[in-house]
Amino acid sequence: DEPSIAYAIEAKSRNDEDRMATAIHKLLEEDSSLRFYRDPQTNEFLLAGTGQQHVEIVVNRLRRKYGVDVTLRAPKVPYRETIRGTADVQGRHKKQTGGHGQFGDVWVKVEPLPRGSQFEFNNAVFGGSVPKNFIPAVEKGFIEAASNGYLAGYPMVDFKVTLYDGSYHDVDSSEMSFKMAARKAFKAAMNVAKPALLEPIMNVEVQGPVEFAGDLMGDLNSRRGRISGMDTKGATQIIRAQVPMAEMLSYQRDLTSITQGRASFSMEFDHYDYVPQAQTEKIVAASADRSKTDMDE
């Protein structure tokens, strides 16, 4: 199982902090669906599992088995970026400094791929217009640029790059020059390829007393949820829905207040889908604020 939800995890004390990583690594050896990593964007330690309950069980085991106390905070939503359109662009890097200059020049086609395809690089260069030894540098340049996204700093996925032409200079061309040319081509492509944000959509199952069914459904609809099925077992109503993860971060608290603590839910990752325009604007604005703060610090 791939992890679907990641919580920021913090040790309660200095003493716990020293032992936290060691204890978690022991748990990782026993449980292949668990991940523990530092988020390069926020510098937080994240603990990821297949669902909220999975992560909570792990936290209990840390306390019981290893005596390590940690607190969990709401996870950051792992948005992704992708493209909806295609582009055919040039990326040219030319710099003249004393002695050696830098020169790299590429022509690429960029196109979207189906969800879940990640990244594909296709070398279609004929006649050595880009020498073979520089082609890995072009691919690397694209991978590095894509990892920082374009709209809001989230990794760009599900796209294909075809390198089909370019030019080089006998003396001034280098791997670095072609990497820089690829980065320029990435930026140029994003201006035309209709970049878009993707968000994780969760399968959510809620169980609660039948008399709250209407309220629970109304609440899920207000979270941009789509109801996918319902069952009644005695006095218990089971509601299944697909809801964006971003709308589920405060769900536990709200569910408790809607049902006076008499309902429970579970959720797991299902797929990525496009973020609607209104939400996209907010996320892009928040990321612009974040990078401004980073610059000020």
Side-chain angles (χ1 to χ4, degrees):
D1 270 10
E2 267 305 290
S4 62
I5 184 162
Y7 283 84
I9 181 171
E10 253 176 39
K12 280 195 175 161
S13 71
R14 217 337 114 66
N15 190 17
D16 290 314
E17 202 170 284
D18 297 338
R19 306 198 322 272
M20 177 176 83
T22 320
I24 290 176
H25 284 298
K26 285 188 180 136
L27 293 178
L28 291 174
E29 285 166 20
E30 301 161 25
D31 185 346
S32 62
S33 56
L34 200 60
R35 301 275 183 284
F36 175 63
Y37 54 97
R38 181 169 233 148
D39 180 344
Q41 283 166 341
T42 59
N43 269 329
E44 293 176 320
F45 280 112
L46 297 183
L47 184 65
T50 51
Q52 183 170 356
Q53 286 159 330
H54 182 205
V55 174
E56 282 169 0
I57 289 167
V58 170
V59 167
N60 284 331
R61 292 190 59 198
L62 279 173
R63 189 169 47 241
R64 278 206 321 274
K65 202 172 166 186
Y66 298 103
V68 174
D69 264 330
V70 297
T71 48
L72 290 179
R73 273 206 326 278
K76 299 277 188 281
V77 179
Y79 292 107
R80 294 286 176 264
E81 301 184 15
T82 192
I83 52 172
R84 287 180 155 197
T86 59
D88 189 335
V89 294
Q90 180 183 28
R92 196 162 182 267
H93 177 69
K94 187 174 198 280
K95 213 172 175 181
Q96 208 52 56
T97 44
H100 271 321
Q102 294 170 24
F103 183 82
D105 174 35
V106 295
W107 280 92
V108 294
K109 280 193 182 74
V110 179
E111 57 200 304
L113 289 175
R115 284 293 74 76
S117 315
Q118 297 298 334
F119 172 72
E120 225 175 88
F121 182 80
N122 180 24
N123 170 23
V125 169
F126 285 109
S129 57
V130 175
K132 274 201 180 59
N133 53 323
F134 294 141
I135 285 167
V138 177
E139 181 174 0
K140 205 168 174 190
F142 268 96
I143 290 171
E144 285 176 8
S147 70
N148 295 313
Y150 176 78
L151 288 173
Y154 295 101
M156 173 84 53
V157 295
D158 304 340
F159 74 112
K160 177 182 178 177
V161 172
T162 302
L163 170 66
Y164 68 89
D165 204 0
S167 62
Y168 70 103
H169 185 283
D170 278 337
V171 179
D172 291 347
S173 283
S174 64
E175 284 183 17
M176 193 61 198
S177 316
F178 273 97
K179 206 154 102 173
M180 297 301 287
R183 288 180 160 217
K184 287 183 175 171
F186 176 83
K187 275 213 172 90
M190 291 310 131
N191 283 324
V192 280
K194 304 193 182 86
L197 275 182
L198 294 169
E199 63 182 344
I201 308 294
M202 313 301 275
N203 278 333
V204 177
E205 190 178 282
V206 185
Q207 299 198 6
V210 169
E211 64 262 34
F212 294 112
D215 292 347
L216 289 171
M217 284 171 65
D219 177 70
L220 287 168
N221 285 328
S222 76
R223 295 173 193 270
R224 301 190 282 129
R226 287 202 306 268
I227 307 294
S228 56
M230 298 186 62
D231 289 314
T232 313
K233 278 189 189 150
T236 301
Q237 180 74 54
I238 299 165
I239 304 171
R240 281 181 293 279
Q242 293 204 319
V243 193
M245 179 183 171
E247 306 287 344
M248 291 297 293
L249 301 182
S250 62
Y251 190 60
Q252 186 73 62
R253 198 180 57 223
D254 299 345
L255 181 64
T256 304
S257 69
I258 293 170
T259 62
Q260 294 139 35
R262 291 161 63 199
S264 65
F265 82 103
S266 63
M267 69 173 175
E268 57 182 29
F269 170 75
D270 189 65
H271 65 283
Y272 271 93
D273 205 350
Y274 294 112
V275 177
Q277 193 51 43
Q279 271 84 11
T280 294
E281 284 164 15
K282 283 183 195 151
I283 297 162
V284 170
S287 109
D289 283 351
R290 261 207 322 270
S291 50
K292 204 174 143 297
T293 332
D294 292 348
M295 296 218 177
D296 294 344
E297 276 173 16

